[in-house]
Amino acid sequence: MEILRIRHRWPEKAGFALNRPEGTDDYVLLHFHTPVRIWIGHQWQDTQPGAIIIFSPGTPHHFISSSPLVHDWAHLQGDIEKEIAPYHLQCNILYQPGFTPRISEWIAQIEAEFFARRDHWETVCHALFQQLWIHLDRNLSGQAPAPVPRETAERLRALREDMLLHPEWDWSNDGMAKRLGLSVSRLYPLYRRMFSISPGQDLILMRIEKAKNLLLRGESVAHTAELMGYANLFHFIRQFKQIAGVTPGQFRG
């Protein structure tokens, strides 16, 4: 796959219309942040934010935006149809997965690599496009989790960083939820959407991983349990064995 031209968040004024009756000689990817009316398969279709389509060479392009337009676009060469086929995607079909900022973020990264031309830029661009195709496939098949609001996502990442730095702290469900300004029932689904694991299970894995390092450095089992915030030694041993498959003493050797 070769990138000929690419731009992200490209704006146009309200009333902008593009009409290419003969299409182009290359493949054209269009990702709309804002709604447009687009001609596909001998009929007009109204898009929702996040709509995406890849026109194959020679396919007419015709769309109209009644409001100010923001869209990402790329002109590509190569066997694009073969490239996207493993991800259940086809050219000249309008996909409406809903708007997710990640698609535009990947296109922005590809654009930056395309213009900078640093070492291995083509490999990076191909990898980013593959992430984009996978994301679309998962989203369209209902496997992709709904995006977490940006401000909440930032607070969740900060919370998790502190958990990683200080797994020994008393990370109660109420305390974590209060820190984020959420209820406990709201914290769980948002955390799982972000990290694909519950906060409680994530904390256990963090503690056991750090406990392994302490044990390998020669710390006793009892002191390691204390350092990782366990008030009950037998609870630590049981959780360690569940995760590591052996007791802390056997791991320490």
Side-chain angles (χ1 to χ4, degrees), residues 156-171 179 191 202-203 205-207 209-211 214 217 227-229:
L156 281 166
R157 279 191 286 267
L159 170 71
R160 192 170 187 271
E161 287 175 7
D162 279 350
M163 291 166 66
L164 284 164
L165 288 171
H166 302 285
E168 74 282 2
W169 288 359
D170 180 18
W171 293 102
R179 170 172 169 164
Y191 195 100
D202 205 11
L203 178 62
L205 294 177
M206 293 174 191
R207 285 176 168 173
E209 192 60 35
K210 293 222 171 185
L214 292 171
R217 281 161 41 189
L227 290 173
M228 288 299 97

Side-chain angles (χ1 to χ4, degrees), residues 61-106:
H61 311 165
H62 191 187
F63 68 84
I64 302 169
S65 176
S66 58
S67 59
L69 172 68
V70 178
H71 66 316
D72 309 309
W73 53 263
H75 288 255
L76 310 169
Q77 277 188 342
D79 196 345
I80 305 303
E81 289 168 273
K82 183 178 179 180
E83 169 84 15
I84 64 176
Y87 309 101
H88 308 101
L89 300 171
Q90 300 177 50
C91 291
N92 308 316
I93 292 179
L94 181 70
Y95 295 105
Q96 304 212 60
F99 183 75
T100 60
R102 297 185 69 185
I103 292 177
S104 192
E105 289 167 4
W106 281 317

Side-chain angles (χ1 to χ4, degrees), residues 14-30:
F16 175 81
L18 178 69
N19 188 13
R20 295 175 177 145
E22 305 300 325
T24 61
D25 294 333
D26 48 26
Y27 290 86
V28 179
L29 179 152
L30 297 171

